[in-house]
Amino acid sequence: MLLSADTHRQGGFEYDAGLLWAAIALLGLGLVMVYSASIASAEVSRFTGGRSSYFLSRHLIFLVASVGLGLFLFQVPMSTWQRLAPWLFLAGVASLALVLLPGTGREVNGARRWLSLGIATVQPSEVMKFFAVLYAADYTVRKSALMQSFKRGLMPMVGVMLVVGWLLLHEPDFGAFVVITCIAMGILFLGGMNAKWFAGLGVLLAIGFAGLVVSSPYRMQRIFGFMDPWADPYGRGYQLSHALIAFGRGEWLGVGLGGSIEKLMYLPEAHTDFLLAVIGEELGFVGVTLVIMIFAWLVLRALAVGRKAVTLERPFPALVAQGIALWIGVQSLINMGVNLGLLPTKGLTLPLMSFGGTGIMVNCAAMAVLLRVDWENRALMRGETL
Protein backbone atom coordinates (compact mmCIF):
# COMPACT_ATOMS: atom_id res chain seq x y z
CA MET A 1 0.00 0.00 0.00
CA LEU A 2 2.74 2.46 0.91
CA LEU A 3 4.60 1.71 -2.30
CA SER A 4 1.64 2.07 -4.65
CA ALA A 5 0.17 5.14 -2.93
CA ASP A 6 2.56 7.44 -4.70
CA THR A 7 2.92 5.70 -8.07
CA HIS A 8 3.26 7.79 -11.20
CA ARG A 9 3.41 6.65 -14.80
CA GLN A 10 5.27 8.61 -17.48
CA GLY A 11 5.37 7.19 -21.00
CA GLY A 12 4.81 3.66 -19.73
CA PHE A 13 7.48 4.01 -17.03
CA GLU A 14 6.28 3.65 -13.43
CA TYR A 15 8.15 5.28 -10.57
CA ASP A 16 7.67 6.43 -7.00
CA ALA A 17 6.79 10.09 -7.49
CA GLY A 18 7.02 10.89 -3.77
CA LEU A 19 10.57 9.59 -3.55
CA LEU A 20 11.74 11.32 -6.73
CA TRP A 21 10.16 14.69 -5.96
CA ALA A 22 11.45 14.68 -2.38
CA ALA A 23 15.00 14.27 -3.72
CA ILE A 24 14.44 16.96 -6.38
CA ALA A 25 13.02 19.36 -3.77
CA LEU A 26 16.05 18.93 -1.50
CA LEU A 27 18.48 19.35 -4.40
CA GLY A 28 16.68 22.46 -5.66
CA LEU A 29 16.35 24.10 -2.26
CA GLY A 30 19.96 23.21 -1.53
CA LEU A 31 21.12 24.97 -4.70
CA VAL A 32 19.28 28.16 -3.73
CA MET A 33 20.48 28.12 -0.12
CA VAL A 34 24.10 27.29 -1.01
CA TYR A 35 24.16 30.39 -3.21
CA SER A 36 22.58 32.53 -0.51
CA ALA A 37 24.90 31.20 2.22
CA SER A 38 28.11 31.47 0.18
CA ILE A 39 27.91 34.92 -1.40
CA ALA A 40 29.84 36.75 1.34
CA SER A 41 32.62 34.16 1.70
CA ALA A 42 33.01 33.94 -2.10
CA GLU A 43 33.42 37.71 -2.41
CA VAL A 44 36.27 37.91 0.12
CA SER A 45 38.12 34.65 -0.61
CA ARG A 46 41.33 34.87 -2.61
CA PHE A 47 40.59 31.45 -4.12
CA THR A 48 37.37 32.61 -5.80
CA GLY A 49 38.68 35.78 -7.44
CA GLY A 50 36.00 37.76 -5.62
CA ARG A 51 33.19 36.23 -7.70
CA SER A 52 30.01 36.07 -5.61
CA SER A 53 28.64 33.25 -7.80
CA TYR A 54 31.74 31.06 -7.45
CA PHE A 55 30.17 28.44 -5.16
CA LEU A 56 26.85 28.60 -7.02
CA SER A 57 28.48 27.81 -10.37
CA ARG A 58 30.54 24.97 -8.90
CA HIS A 59 27.54 23.53 -7.07
CA LEU A 60 25.49 23.71 -10.28
CA ILE A 61 28.23 21.84 -12.16
CA PHE A 62 28.31 19.21 -9.40
CA LEU A 63 24.53 18.96 -9.56
CA VAL A 64 24.38 18.47 -13.34
CA ALA A 65 27.18 15.88 -13.19
CA SER A 66 25.45 14.12 -10.30
CA VAL A 67 22.13 13.90 -12.11
CA GLY A 68 23.95 12.53 -15.15
CA LEU A 69 25.70 9.96 -12.97
CA GLY A 70 22.39 9.03 -11.38
CA LEU A 71 20.74 8.46 -14.76
CA PHE A 72 23.64 6.21 -15.76
CA LEU A 73 23.66 4.22 -12.50
CA PHE A 74 19.89 3.72 -12.67
CA GLN A 75 20.54 1.43 -15.66
CA VAL A 76 22.68 -0.93 -13.53
CA PRO A 77 20.70 -3.98 -12.31
CA MET A 78 20.74 -4.77 -8.59
CA SER A 79 22.25 -8.18 -9.38
CA THR A 80 25.29 -6.37 -10.79
CA TRP A 81 25.58 -4.19 -7.67
CA GLN A 82 25.50 -7.34 -5.54
CA ARG A 83 28.24 -8.94 -7.61
CA LEU A 84 30.43 -5.82 -7.43
CA ALA A 85 29.79 -4.99 -3.76
CA PRO A 86 32.88 -6.68 -2.22
CA TRP A 87 35.20 -5.22 -4.88
CA LEU A 88 33.78 -1.73 -4.52
CA PHE A 89 34.23 -1.97 -0.77
CA LEU A 90 37.87 -3.01 -1.17
CA ALA A 91 38.40 -0.09 -3.55
CA GLY A 92 36.88 2.21 -0.93
CA VAL A 93 39.21 0.90 1.78
CA ALA A 94 42.18 1.36 -0.56
CA SER A 95 41.16 4.98 -1.23
CA LEU A 96 40.90 5.66 2.50
CA ALA A 97 44.42 4.30 2.94
CA LEU A 98 45.68 6.31 -0.04
CA VAL A 99 44.49 9.54 1.57
CA LEU A 100 46.85 8.95 4.50
CA LEU A 101 49.93 8.41 2.35
CA PRO A 102 52.34 11.38 2.27
CA GLY A 103 52.09 13.31 -0.98
CA THR A 104 48.71 11.88 -2.04
CA GLY A 105 46.14 13.12 0.44
CA ARG A 106 45.14 16.78 0.51
CA GLU A 107 44.98 18.44 3.92
CA VAL A 108 42.47 21.19 4.78
CA ASN A 109 42.04 22.69 8.26
CA GLY A 110 44.13 19.95 9.84
CA ALA A 111 42.16 17.07 8.26
CA ARG A 112 43.49 14.86 5.47
CA ARG A 113 40.31 13.67 3.75
CA TRP A 114 40.69 14.47 0.05
CA LEU A 115 42.36 12.99 -3.01
CA SER A 116 43.25 15.30 -5.89
CA LEU A 117 42.55 13.79 -9.31
CA GLY A 118 43.75 16.81 -11.27
CA ILE A 119 40.43 18.10 -12.60
CA ALA A 120 38.54 17.28 -9.40
CA THR A 121 38.99 16.53 -5.72
CA VAL A 122 37.35 13.42 -4.25
CA GLN A 123 36.50 12.71 -0.61
CA PRO A 124 36.77 8.91 -0.17
CA SER A 125 34.90 8.87 3.15
CA GLU A 126 31.76 10.08 1.33
CA VAL A 127 32.07 7.37 -1.31
CA MET A 128 32.68 4.82 1.44
CA LYS A 129 29.20 5.43 2.86
CA PHE A 130 27.69 4.23 -0.42
CA PHE A 131 30.02 1.26 -0.66
CA ALA A 132 29.32 0.36 3.00
CA VAL A 133 25.59 0.08 2.23
CA LEU A 134 26.26 -2.28 -0.69
CA TYR A 135 28.84 -4.38 1.16
CA ALA A 136 26.85 -4.71 4.40
CA ALA A 137 23.76 -5.78 2.42
CA ASP A 138 25.74 -8.31 0.39
CA TYR A 139 27.53 -9.65 3.50
CA THR A 140 24.24 -10.07 5.38
CA VAL A 141 22.67 -11.97 2.49
CA ARG A 142 25.72 -14.23 2.04
CA LYS A 143 25.93 -14.92 5.78
CA SER A 144 22.18 -15.13 6.40
CA ALA A 145 22.47 -18.68 7.77
CA LEU A 146 25.17 -17.54 10.23
CA MET A 147 23.54 -14.38 11.59
CA GLN A 148 22.95 -16.09 14.95
CA SER A 149 26.64 -16.99 15.28
CA PHE A 150 28.95 -14.51 17.01
CA LYS A 151 32.18 -16.00 15.66
CA ARG A 152 31.19 -16.68 12.06
CA GLY A 153 28.42 -14.14 11.52
CA LEU A 154 29.28 -11.02 13.49
CA MET A 155 33.03 -11.01 14.09
CA PRO A 156 34.14 -10.84 10.43
CA MET A 157 32.05 -7.68 9.90
CA VAL A 158 33.32 -6.19 13.18
CA GLY A 159 36.90 -6.80 12.03
CA VAL A 160 36.26 -5.11 8.69
CA MET A 161 34.61 -2.11 10.34
CA LEU A 162 37.52 -1.75 12.78
CA VAL A 163 39.88 -1.40 9.81
CA VAL A 164 37.61 1.21 8.22
CA GLY A 165 37.24 2.99 11.56
CA TRP A 166 41.01 3.09 12.11
CA LEU A 167 41.52 4.68 8.69
CA LEU A 168 38.74 7.23 9.19
CA LEU A 169 39.91 8.25 12.65
CA HIS A 170 43.41 8.89 11.31
CA GLU A 171 42.11 11.43 8.76
CA PRO A 172 40.34 12.31 11.15
CA ASP A 173 36.67 11.97 10.16
CA PHE A 174 34.78 10.91 13.25
CA GLY A 175 31.42 11.89 11.75
CA ALA A 176 31.81 9.58 8.76
CA PHE A 177 32.88 6.77 11.11
CA VAL A 178 29.66 7.19 13.12
CA VAL A 179 27.48 7.18 9.99
CA ILE A 180 29.19 4.13 8.44
CA THR A 181 28.98 2.24 11.75
CA CYS A 182 25.26 2.99 11.99
CA ILE A 183 24.78 1.80 8.40
CA ALA A 184 26.60 -1.49 8.95
CA MET A 185 25.01 -2.22 12.33
CA GLY A 186 21.54 -1.28 11.12
CA ILE A 187 21.73 -3.53 8.06
CA LEU A 188 23.04 -6.44 10.14
CA PHE A 189 20.15 -6.01 12.58
CA LEU A 190 17.56 -5.78 9.79
CA GLY A 191 19.14 -8.86 8.22
CA GLY A 192 18.46 -10.97 11.30
CA MET A 193 21.51 -10.63 13.51
CA ASN A 194 21.11 -12.14 16.99
CA ALA A 195 19.48 -9.49 19.21
CA LYS A 196 21.73 -10.30 22.19
CA TRP A 197 24.88 -9.88 20.12
CA PHE A 198 23.49 -6.66 18.67
CA ALA A 199 22.77 -5.23 22.12
CA GLY A 200 26.19 -6.29 23.41
CA LEU A 201 27.96 -4.79 20.42
CA GLY A 202 25.97 -1.59 20.90
CA VAL A 203 27.25 -1.31 24.46
CA LEU A 204 30.83 -1.96 23.34
CA LEU A 205 30.51 0.69 20.64
CA ALA A 206 29.19 3.21 23.16
CA ILE A 207 32.16 2.48 25.44
CA GLY A 208 34.52 2.73 22.48
CA PHE A 209 33.10 6.09 21.37
CA ALA A 210 33.41 7.39 24.93
CA GLY A 211 37.03 6.21 25.02
CA LEU A 212 37.79 7.94 21.72
CA VAL A 213 36.36 11.18 23.05
CA VAL A 214 38.20 11.03 26.38
CA SER A 215 41.51 10.13 24.72
CA SER A 216 41.43 13.12 22.38
CA PRO A 217 41.69 16.71 23.69
CA TYR A 218 40.29 17.92 20.36
CA ARG A 219 37.12 15.83 20.73
CA MET A 220 36.84 16.73 24.41
CA GLN A 221 36.84 20.41 23.47
CA ARG A 222 34.06 19.81 20.98
CA ILE A 223 32.00 17.97 23.60
CA PHE A 224 32.38 20.74 26.18
CA GLY A 225 31.78 23.39 23.53
CA PHE A 226 28.52 21.68 22.61
CA MET A 227 27.35 21.45 26.22
CA ASP A 228 27.83 25.17 26.92
CA PRO A 229 28.82 27.20 23.83
CA TRP A 230 28.31 30.48 25.69
CA ALA A 231 31.09 29.64 28.15
CA ASP A 232 33.59 30.30 25.35
CA PRO A 233 31.66 32.02 22.53
CA TYR A 234 34.84 33.25 20.82
CA GLY A 235 36.66 29.92 21.07
CA ARG A 236 35.37 26.36 21.12
CA GLY A 237 31.71 27.49 21.19
CA TYR A 238 32.04 29.96 18.31
CA GLN A 239 30.32 27.99 15.54
CA LEU A 240 27.45 26.75 17.68
CA SER A 241 26.81 30.13 19.32
CA HIS A 242 26.49 31.81 15.93
CA ALA A 243 24.30 28.97 14.61
CA LEU A 244 21.95 29.49 17.57
CA ILE A 245 21.94 33.24 16.97
CA ALA A 246 20.93 32.53 13.35
CA PHE A 247 18.00 30.36 14.43
CA GLY A 248 16.97 32.98 16.98
CA ARG A 249 16.97 35.76 14.39
CA GLY A 250 14.83 33.69 12.03
CA GLU A 251 11.95 33.25 14.45
CA TRP A 252 8.81 31.91 12.71
CA LEU A 253 9.07 33.09 9.10
CA GLY A 254 12.71 34.18 8.81
CA VAL A 255 14.32 37.46 7.82
CA GLY A 256 13.82 36.71 4.12
CA LEU A 257 15.88 34.92 1.47
CA GLY A 258 19.31 36.55 1.26
CA GLY A 259 18.82 38.53 4.46
CA SER A 260 21.04 36.48 6.77
CA ILE A 261 23.55 38.40 8.88
CA GLU A 262 25.35 35.34 10.24
CA LYS A 263 26.51 34.26 6.79
CA LEU A 264 28.46 37.52 6.51
CA MET A 265 31.67 35.89 7.79
CA TYR A 266 30.28 35.28 11.29
CA LEU A 267 29.16 31.65 10.88
CA PRO A 268 31.97 29.38 9.58
CA GLU A 269 31.07 26.71 6.98
CA ALA A 270 27.71 28.40 6.35
CA HIS A 271 27.28 26.73 2.93
CA THR A 272 28.42 23.26 4.05
CA ASP A 273 28.05 21.95 7.62
CA PHE A 274 25.87 24.82 8.90
CA LEU A 275 23.56 25.34 5.93
CA LEU A 276 20.51 24.57 8.10
CA ALA A 277 21.34 27.51 10.37
CA VAL A 278 21.19 29.87 7.38
CA ILE A 279 17.89 28.28 6.35
CA GLY A 280 16.63 28.88 9.88
CA GLU A 281 17.67 32.53 9.79
CA GLU A 282 16.32 33.31 6.31
CA LEU A 283 13.26 31.04 6.14
CA GLY A 284 12.54 30.69 9.86
CA PHE A 285 10.90 27.88 11.79
CA VAL A 286 8.58 27.20 8.85
CA GLY A 287 11.51 26.69 6.46
CA VAL A 288 13.38 24.37 8.83
CA THR A 289 10.21 22.38 9.48
CA LEU A 290 9.66 21.99 5.73
CA VAL A 291 13.20 20.66 5.26
CA ILE A 292 12.74 18.17 8.12
CA MET A 293 9.41 17.00 6.68
CA ILE A 294 10.91 16.43 3.22
CA PHE A 295 13.76 14.39 4.71
CA ALA A 296 11.29 12.38 6.80
CA TRP A 297 9.15 11.69 3.73
CA LEU A 298 12.17 10.60 1.69
CA VAL A 299 13.30 8.19 4.42
CA LEU A 300 9.79 6.75 4.78
CA ARG A 301 9.53 6.19 1.03
CA ALA A 302 12.94 4.47 1.01
CA LEU A 303 11.81 2.18 3.83
CA ALA A 304 8.59 1.43 1.91
CA VAL A 305 10.64 0.44 -1.14
CA GLY A 306 12.69 -1.87 1.07
CA ARG A 307 9.60 -3.44 2.62
CA LYS A 308 8.13 -4.16 -0.80
CA ALA A 309 11.38 -5.85 -1.84
CA VAL A 310 11.11 -8.03 1.28
CA THR A 311 7.61 -9.15 0.30
CA LEU A 312 8.95 -10.02 -3.15
CA GLU A 313 11.73 -12.10 -1.51
CA ARG A 314 14.55 -9.86 -2.74
CA PRO A 315 16.83 -9.64 0.31
CA PHE A 316 19.78 -7.75 -1.19
CA PRO A 317 17.74 -4.93 -2.80
CA ALA A 318 15.63 -4.73 0.36
CA LEU A 319 18.65 -4.25 2.59
CA VAL A 320 20.21 -1.74 0.18
CA ALA A 321 17.04 0.38 0.21
CA GLN A 322 16.80 0.20 3.99
CA GLY A 323 20.52 0.94 4.31
CA ILE A 324 20.16 4.08 2.17
CA ALA A 325 17.23 5.15 4.36
CA LEU A 326 19.43 4.66 7.45
CA TRP A 327 22.30 6.59 5.86
CA ILE A 328 20.24 9.61 4.80
CA GLY A 329 18.22 9.56 8.02
CA VAL A 330 21.18 9.28 10.40
CA GLN A 331 23.38 11.81 8.61
CA SER A 332 20.59 14.39 8.30
CA LEU A 333 19.65 13.92 11.97
CA ILE A 334 23.26 14.39 13.07
CA ASN A 335 23.69 17.50 10.92
CA MET A 336 20.45 18.99 12.20
CA GLY A 337 21.32 18.09 15.78
CA VAL A 338 24.71 19.80 15.43
CA ASN A 339 23.13 22.94 13.95
CA LEU A 340 20.55 23.10 16.72
CA GLY A 341 23.04 22.47 19.52
CA LEU A 342 21.64 19.04 20.37
CA LEU A 343 24.81 17.14 19.36
CA PRO A 344 28.56 17.86 19.39
CA THR A 345 29.98 19.53 16.29
CA LYS A 346 30.79 17.04 13.52
CA GLY A 347 32.08 17.55 9.99
CA LEU A 348 28.94 16.19 8.36
CA THR A 349 27.02 17.92 5.60
CA LEU A 350 23.26 17.96 5.05
CA PRO A 351 22.60 15.23 2.44
CA LEU A 352 21.46 16.39 -1.01
CA MET A 353 21.67 20.04 0.07
CA SER A 354 25.08 21.18 1.34
CA PHE A 355 27.89 22.30 -0.95
CA GLY A 356 30.34 19.52 -1.82
CA GLY A 357 30.96 17.71 -5.08
CA THR A 358 31.62 14.21 -3.76
CA GLY A 359 28.75 14.35 -1.29
CA ILE A 360 26.18 15.46 -3.89
CA MET A 361 27.35 12.88 -6.44
CA VAL A 362 27.25 10.03 -3.92
CA ASN A 363 23.83 11.10 -2.64
CA CYS A 364 22.46 11.17 -6.20
CA ALA A 365 24.00 7.76 -6.85
CA ALA A 366 22.19 6.43 -3.78
CA MET A 367 18.90 7.92 -5.00
CA ALA A 368 19.42 6.29 -8.41
CA VAL A 369 19.99 2.88 -6.84
CA LEU A 370 16.93 3.38 -4.63
CA LEU A 371 14.78 4.21 -7.65
CA ARG A 372 16.24 1.15 -9.41
CA VAL A 373 15.12 -1.09 -6.52
CA ASP A 374 11.65 0.44 -6.78
CA TRP A 375 11.58 -0.01 -10.57
CA GLU A 376 12.58 -3.67 -10.32
CA ASN A 377 9.94 -4.21 -7.62
CA ARG A 378 7.25 -2.84 -9.93
CA ALA A 379 8.52 -4.87 -12.88
CA LEU A 380 8.27 -8.09 -10.85
CA MET A 381 4.80 -7.17 -9.64
CA ARG A 382 3.73 -6.82 -13.29
CA GLY A 383 5.09 -10.30 -13.96
CA GLU A 384 8.10 -9.16 -15.96
CA THR A 385 11.52 -10.79 -15.74
CA LEU A 386 14.60 -8.79 -14.78
Side-chain angles (χ1 to χ4, degrees):
M1 182 66 70
L2 281 173
L3 187 71
S4 59
D6 218 24
T7 299
H8 189 77
R9 181 184 290 271
Q10 182 71 35
F13 173 72
E14 283 188 7
Y15 62 92
D16 190 319
L19 177 61
L20 180 61
W21 283 107
I24 291 173
L26 291 173
L27 290 169
L29 182 58
L31 178 66
V32 173
M33 294 311 303
V34 163
Y35 180 44
S36 178
S38 66
I39 291 175
S41 58
E43 287 180 341
V44 301
S45 175
R46 61 187 179 88
F47 297 106
T48 64
R51 290 188 293 115
S52 61
S53 62
Y54 176 82
F55 290 106
L56 170 67
S57 58
R58 287 179 63 85
H59 193 74
L60 189 58
I61 291 171
F62 294 149
L63 200 52
V64 171
S66 299
V67 172
L69 177 66
L71 291 172
F72 171 75
L73 294 182
F74 178 79
Q75 310 300 322
V76 180
M78 293 308 298
S79 57
T80 301
W81 285 117
Q82 186 171 8
R83 202 162 52 245
L84 294 176
W87 303 107
L88 292 173
F89 188 78
L90 284 174
V93 173
S95 67
L96 290 178
L98 196 60
V99 166
L100 301 177
L101 294 179
T104 57
R106 180 184 172 191
E107 187 171 329
V108 179
N109 296 329
R112 186 182 291 271
R113 302 176 185 173
W114 296 268
L115 285 174
S116 180
L117 302 181
I119 60 173
T121 301
V122 177
Q123 188 173 353
S125 59
E126 289 292 332
V127 181
M128 197 64 188
K129 295 171 188 174
F130 180 49
F131 291 167
V133 169
L134 298 174
Y135 178 74
D138 173 61
Y139 176 89
T140 303
V141 171
R142 285 189 288 108
K143 301 280 188 176
S144 58
L146 303 173
M147 280 293 103
Q148 300 298 311
S149 169
F150 179 79
K151 183 178 179 180
R152 300 176 63 190
L154 180 60
M155 283 307 296
M157 177 60 83
V158 171
V160 167
M161 296 314 298
L162 285 174
V163 173
V164 173
W166 184 87
L167 292 170
L168 288 171
L169 291 174
H170 276 74
E171 293 187 2
D173 196 343
F174 189 68
F177 177 46
V178 171
V179 172
I180 290 173
T181 300
C182 289
I183 290 170
M185 292 296 298
I187 290 177
L188 284 174
F189 179 74
L190 291 169
M193 186 175 74
N194 185 293
K196 292 181 180 179
W197 298 132
F198 182 82
L201 187 58
V203 172
L204 289 176
L205 284 172
I207 294 172
F209 284 143
L212 287 171
V213 170
V214 172
S215 65
S216 170
Y218 168 74
R219 297 190 188 102
M220 285 286 285
Q221 286 182 358
R222 286 202 165 189
I223 291 292
F224 285 112
F226 140 73
M227 293 174 67
D228 187 7
W230 308 110
D232 187 12
Y234 298 105
R236 64 192 180 195
Y238 183 80
Q239 276 184 305
L240 180 53
S241 62
H242 280 281
L244 295 176
I245 291 171
F247 284 113
R249 289 193 74 247
E251 297 184 350
W252 287 98
L253 298 177
V255 298
L257 186 63
S260 169
I261 296 297
E262 287 300 317
K263 71 183 182 184
L264 303 179
M265 308 309 294
Y266 293 104
L267 178 63
E269 310 298 338
H271 58 299
T272 55
D273 299 358
F274 283 86
L275 186 67
L276 189 71
V278 178
I279 294 174
E281 187 176 4
E282 296 190 348
L283 305 182
F285 177 81
V286 172
V288 172
T289 302
L290 177 63
V291 169
I292 293 173
M293 290 175 64
I294 297 174
F295 270 111
W297 179 250
L298 188 148
V299 170
L300 287 173
R301 299 307 306 165
L303 290 173
V305 170
R307 284 196 296 272
K308 178 54 67 174
V310 170
T311 63
L312 294 171
E313 298 182 352
R314 306 178 66 223
F316 175 75
L319 290 173
V320 168
Q322 292 165 342
I324 292 173
L326 279 171
W327 167 16
I328 300 299
V330 168
Q331 183 164 331
S332 59
L333 277 175
I334 292 176
N335 178 274
M336 293 173 186
V338 167
N339 276 253
L340 292 166
L342 302 175
L343 292 171
T345 304
K346 294 284 180 294
L348 286 174
T349 56
L350 195 57
L352 295 165
M353 295 189 71
S354 293
F355 178 82
T358 308
I360 289 292
M361 294 192 78
V362 171
N363 292 158
C364 286
M367 291 301 102
V369 170
L370 194 54
L371 287 166
R372 176 72 192 195
V373 175
D374 175 63
W375 182 83
E376 291 187 0
N377 287 344
R378 296 173 191 276
L380 289 172
M381 291 172 67
R382 294 193 299 269
E384 300 176 10
T385 57
L386 300 177

